[in-house]
Amino acid sequence: LISLSDIRKTYEMGQTQVRALDGVSLEILKGDYLAVMGPSGSGKSTLMNLIGCLDTPTSGSYLLKSREISTLGDDELARIRNREIGFVFQTFNLLPRADALQNVELPLVYSGMSRRDRRERARRALEAVGLGDRMGHRPNEMSGGQRQRVAIARALVNEPSILLADEPTGNLDSRTGEEIMALIDRLHREGNTIILVTHEDDLAKKAERVIRLLDGKIVSDSRNGGA
Amino acid sequence: LISLSDIRKTYEMGQTQVRALDGVSLEILKGDYLAVMGPSGSGKSTLMNLIGCLDTPTSGSYLLKSREISTLGDDELARIRNREIGFVFQTFNLLPRADALQNVELPLVYSGMSRRDRRERARRALEAVGLGDRMGHRPNEMSGGQRQRVAIARALVNEPSILLADEPTGNLDSRTGEEIMALIDRLHREGNTIILVTHEDDLAKKAERVIRLLDGKIVSDSRNGGA
Ligand SMILES: Nc1ncnc2c1ncn2[C@@H]1O[C@H](COP(=O)(O)OP(=O)(O)OP(=O)(O)O)[C@@H](O)[C@H]1O
Ligand SMILES: Nc1ncnc2c1ncn2[C@@H]1O[C@H](COP(=O)(O)OP(=O)(O)OP(=O)(O)O)[C@@H](O)[C@H]1O
Ligand SMILES: [Mg+2]
Ligand SMILES: [Mg+2]
């Protein structure tokens, strides 16, 4: 499904060069459940943004369903993102002047669904993350963990075939976090592909495979014992 | 040091009323190390903002060093915040167009320190959180955990007598998180007061006392066995 080959992402900062990704090669099959771990600053979010077609590599090749992503134009990338990929951002990226329902509806706007059906789907996605009573709240009228859950609901509302979740439970208490992981688990059981960035070993254990980044490189790639 | 008496914070949302804090009374002594826990949306950040003089209660009394905070004007609140309190926000609240060094320097601007001394102090605070090589980076040129660490360095740079840290390690791997907790620990050993919001039991164990919120009320308040 996803094939990364010697991917590099470099930032020029005056005299120095920051190598956010320094030669990453990775194969991900349809239906995989992959956890990405590594220290702060090791390149996890950069990797996610590249896989999610939100950014392009400095060099290297990225094949998504056998199509070379690094050569596609903005419109085509936007279409792939909207149809195939659900993304939970580490910094949520919600629209500040829209309420929770409008934020979650957004990915469905391009789907050709009627307004009524969109609202119904968005409502159910918010209820699934425990925010049935916060639909009319805007982001600054919600707690940190509530905003995170709106971001999660928005990523799931389109039933994406690839879910990229960048530390989706960082702002949640353990019980709410478990409810979210159960939703992600269910999406996986339905045959979808999950890539989860996490700092928590407990969450990484739920995945079938764990890769670890260090200084922009993959330093380990191992299959989990079970689940 | 801090005395909250029947504190309430209510938001009017059209027909409904959200009771973010619903009658909180709490005494905190100088030098205490308090952990605040509770589910997402239970009122933790709201409580922190009130204690940190960033917000005023709808009703109830807040005495800080025997002064009634709810009756103070903006200038006086700003002065107290700057002199006494270091705040690590759940959403970091960094200046987007300033780099890490400038962001960390900011609390020192009011202290009457020379520009050279300010820069030196800010530099050391950034080195202490492992960001010696990111001083010239702006927030959008850093990872999530790096931004969180800039927010931590900024809160510590003034050596505050009261540190309010709202989930300071949510975006950090465990090793980096431990380094941050060691800094907070040291601040506490120097006689300062620490209030830490966290979702992680391991971190709450380091505190001497744990209070739990649920639906805007304190439901438990217990002293830890040790450390
Ligand atoms: N401006 C506002 N208007 C309406 N409701 C608000 C507003 N700000 C916060 N709330 C509500 O107040 C409650 C408490 O919010 P708070 O941010 O204190 O929660 P929290 O315990 O910090 O949660 P988390 O662990 O998710 O960060 C939440 O249910 C939230 O929806
Ligand atoms: N626009 C940029 N310019 C310069 N350096 C950048 C830029 N964006 C990211 N970086 C650097 O690239 C490295 C990787 O960043 P990335 O966000 O992928 O880390 P991460 O593994 O997600 O970290 P965290 O766990 O803290 O979220 C970091 O050291 C960061 O400082
Ligand atoms: Mg990241
Ligand atoms: Mg909060």
Side-chain angles (χ1 to χ4, degrees):
Chain A
L1 183 69
I2 287 170
S3 183
L4 302 174
S5 181
D6 201 35
I7 290 285
R8 289 164 196 278
K9 182 71 184 182
T10 309
Y11 296 102
E12 306 293 333
M13 302 277 300
Q15 301 270 23
T16 49
Q17 200 189 52
V18 176
R19 299 188 168 202
L21 293 177
D22 196 17
V24 167
S25 299
L26 180 63
E27 301 270 327
I28 300 171
L29 305 171
K30 180 161 162 28
D32 268 4
Y33 189 155
L34 174 68
V36 179
M37 302 188 82
S40 173
S42 53
K44 306 179 295 296
S45 297
T46 305
L47 179 63
M48 295 288 266
N49 289 342
L50 284 175
I51 292 174
C53 304
L54 286 156
D55 196 7
T56 47
T58 308
S59 68
S61 138
Y62 171 23
L63 296 172
L64 173 64
K65 295 185 175 177
S66 311
R67 300 181 66 192
E68 179 54 62
I69 298 297
S70 44
T71 58
L72 295 182
D74 283 354
D75 287 350
E76 191 61 21
L77 285 176
R79 199 171 14 241
I80 290 177
R81 280 200 305 269
N82 189 265
R83 248 195 356 234
E84 308 277 358
I85 296 170
F87 208 129
V88 186
F89 295 95
Q90 190 170 7
T91 47
F92 315 157
N93 297 0
L94 301 177
L95 298 181
R97 286 182 302 214
D99 65 22
L101 192 69
Q102 290 160 341
N103 264 288
V104 174
E105 256 191 288
L106 198 58
L108 300 175
V109 167
Y110 306 106
S111 63
M113 213 177 262
S114 76
R115 183 157 198 259
R116 190 168 136 189
D117 289 346
R118 281 203 321 257
R119 302 228 113 196
E120 181 54 29
R121 272 253 207 136
R123 193 172 301 144
R124 273 190 269 133
L126 281 165
E127 283 166 354
V129 297
L131 292 178
D133 61 354
R134 288 287 180 275
M135 297 200 208
H137 286 233
R138 288 190 302 268
N140 69 350
E141 294 167 336
M142 290 192 267
S143 77
Q146 289 168 347
R147 283 178 216 143
Q148 187 158 40
R149 283 182 276 159
V150 175
I152 291 160
R154 182 182 62 184
L156 294 177
V157 74
N158 228 349
E159 289 172 1
S161 57
I162 302 169
L163 177 73
L164 303 177
D166 198 343
E167 302 190 36
T169 60
N171 280 287
L172 302 174
D173 56 284
S174 31
R175 174 136 168 245
T176 312
E178 281 168 13
E179 289 166 21
I180 295 311
M181 292 312 294
L183 292 176
I184 292 178
D185 229 46
R186 188 173 74 191
L187 188 74
H188 178 238
R189 282 201 305 276
E190 290 165 3
N192 298 298
T193 308
I194 312 287
I195 306 176
L196 172 79
V197 171
T198 182
H199 283 310
E200 299 184 45
D201 293 301
D202 297 353
L203 294 187
K205 285 203 188 76
K206 296 180 198 284
E208 300 164 334
R209 178 181 173 201
V210 182
I211 69 170
R212 285 184 180 276
L213 288 179
L214 184 65
D215 299 327
K217 291 189 175 75
I218 295 179
V219 294
S220 79
D221 184 344
S222 54
R223 301 227 154 241
N224 269 329
Chain B
L1 182 69
I2 288 171
S3 183
L4 302 174
S5 181
D6 201 36
I7 290 286
R8 290 164 195 277
K9 183 71 183 182
T10 309
Y11 296 102
E12 307 293 332
M13 302 277 298
Q15 301 269 23
T16 48
Q17 198 188 55
V18 176
R19 298 186 168 205
L21 293 178
D22 195 18
V24 168
S25 298
L26 179 63
E27 302 270 327
I28 300 171
L29 305 171
K30 181 165 164 24
D32 268 2
Y33 189 154
L34 174 68
V36 178
M37 302 188 82
S40 174
S42 53
K44 305 178 297 297
S45 296
T46 305
L47 179 64
M48 294 289 265
N49 289 341
L50 283 175
I51 293 174
C53 304
L54 286 155
D55 196 7
T56 47
T58 308
S59 68
S61 138
Y62 170 24
L63 295 172
L64 173 64
K65 294 184 174 179
S66 310
R67 300 181 64 191
E68 179 53 62
I69 298 297
S70 44
T71 58
L72 295 182
D74 283 352
D75 287 351
E76 191 62 21
L77 285 176
R79 196 168 19 236
I80 290 176
R81 281 200 305 270
N82 190 265
R83 247 196 356 235
E84 308 277 358
I85 295 170
F87 207 129
V88 186
F89 296 95
Q90 189 171 8
T91 48
F92 316 158
N93 297 0
L94 301 177
L95 297 181
R97 286 181 302 212
D99 65 22
L101 192 68
Q102 291 159 342
N103 265 287
V104 174
E105 255 191 289
L106 198 60
L108 299 175
V109 167
Y110 306 107
S111 64
M113 212 178 262
S114 77
R115 183 157 197 261
R116 188 168 140 189
D117 288 347
R118 283 203 317 259
R119 304 228 112 198
E120 181 53 28
R121 272 254 207 133
R123 192 171 301 145
R124 273 191 268 134
L126 281 166
E127 282 165 354
V129 297
L131 293 178
D133 60 357
R134 289 287 182 273
M135 296 199 209
H137 285 233
R138 288 192 300 270
N140 69 350
E141 295 168 334
M142 289 190 268
S143 76
Q146 288 167 347
R147 282 178 217 143
Q148 187 158 40
R149 283 182 275 160
V150 175
I152 291 160
R154 183 182 61 184
L156 295 176
V157 75
N158 228 349
E159 289 173 2
S161 56
I162 303 169
L163 178 72
L164 304 176
D166 197 343
E167 301 190 38
T169 61
N171 281 286
L172 301 175
D173 55 284
S174 31
R175 175 138 167 244
T176 311
E178 283 168 11
E179 289 166 21
I180 296 309
M181 292 312 294
L183 292 176
I184 292 178
D185 228 46
R186 187 172 76 190
L187 188 73
H188 178 238
R189 282 199 307 273
E190 289 164 4
N192 298 298
T193 307
I194 312 288
I195 307 176
L196 173 79
V197 170
T198 181
H199 284 309
E200 298 184 43
D201 294 300
D202 297 353
L203 294 187
K205 286 203 189 75
K206 298 181 196 286
E208 300 164 333
R209 176 182 174 199
V210 182
I211 69 171
R212 285 183 181 276
L213 288 179
L214 185 64
D215 297 330
K217 291 189 176 75
I218 295 179
V219 294
S220 80
D221 184 344
S222 55
R223 299 223 157 245
N224 269 329

